Amino acid sequence: MKYMILSYGSQRDYDGMAGAATGDEAWTPEDFAAMTEFMRKFSAELEASGELVDTQGLPAPVHTRRVSGSNRAGVPVVVTDGPYAETQEVLAGYWIVECDSFDRATEIAIRLADCPAPRAVAARAYADVRPVGECADQLNS
């Protein structure tokens, strides 16, 4: 079974990683290097175990557009440039893993709690684990 592990961040987190003042403890170059190395090693271990299907990090939310609603012809009604005032958290990256169970996918996601980051960032970090539905019948099961 495939599972998607989704990690979240905010524009504030991206700004902090880029060295901008955010009001939180600042990211140092060493913090950023440690996080990058953790993510590289985490993904390499999943690849070596045969559980990694795909992983991608996503650019900052300011490089995002939200398309919502459409008319009957399928033409978008509203296009909004990011970041979005209605929410702070955005998808920062994901892993698709193929493993034996939801519990195993959850064990993998729990390891993300060890990712180095300034305290304030680590305190608000979270990930979701969701089964990947491969057909319409799996969407509500």
Side-chain angles (χ1 to χ4, degrees):
M1 179 78 181
K2 291 181 184 167
Y3 299 90
M4 182 176 252
I5 300 169
L6 303 104
S7 65
Y8 295 87
S10 67
Q11 184 62 48
R12 181 178 180 173
D13 295 326
Y14 283 88
D15 291 345
M17 286 186 281
T22 64
D24 284 338
E25 180 182 352
W27 281 81
T28 65
E30 294 80 15
D31 290 332
F32 189 76
M35 180 202 63
T36 302
E37 179 59 20
F38 175 90
M39 292 298 184
R40 186 204 61 73
K41 185 177 177 185
F42 179 79
S43 296
E45 289 171 0
L46 290 173
E47 186 173 15
S49 74
E51 294 172 303
L52 182 65
V53 175
D54 187 31
T55 184
Q56 297 292 323
L58 301 175
V62 296
H63 304 292
T64 303
R65 287 194 177 139
R66 177 170 288 169
V67 179
S68 58
S70 63
N71 64 21
R72 292 188 185 265
V75 178
V77 174
V78 178
V79 177
T80 307
D81 287 335
Y84 314 108
E86 60 271 13
T87 183
Q88 287 189 14
E89 289 80 25
V90 295
L91 185 62
Y94 67 88
W95 293 262
I96 296 178
V97 296
E98 189 163 4
C99 52
D100 294 333
S101 67
F102 200 17
D103 288 341
R104 173 61 185 144
T106 303
E107 289 171 6
I108 292 168
I110 288 170
R111 292 174 45 207
L112 289 170
D114 292 329
C115 183
R119 265 186 309 236
V121 174
R124 65 178 175 261
Y126 65 94
D128 291 333
V129 180
R130 297 183 64 180
V132 174
E134 296 184 7
C135 67
D137 294 341
Q138 294 176 326
L139 294 179
N140 290 320
S141 21

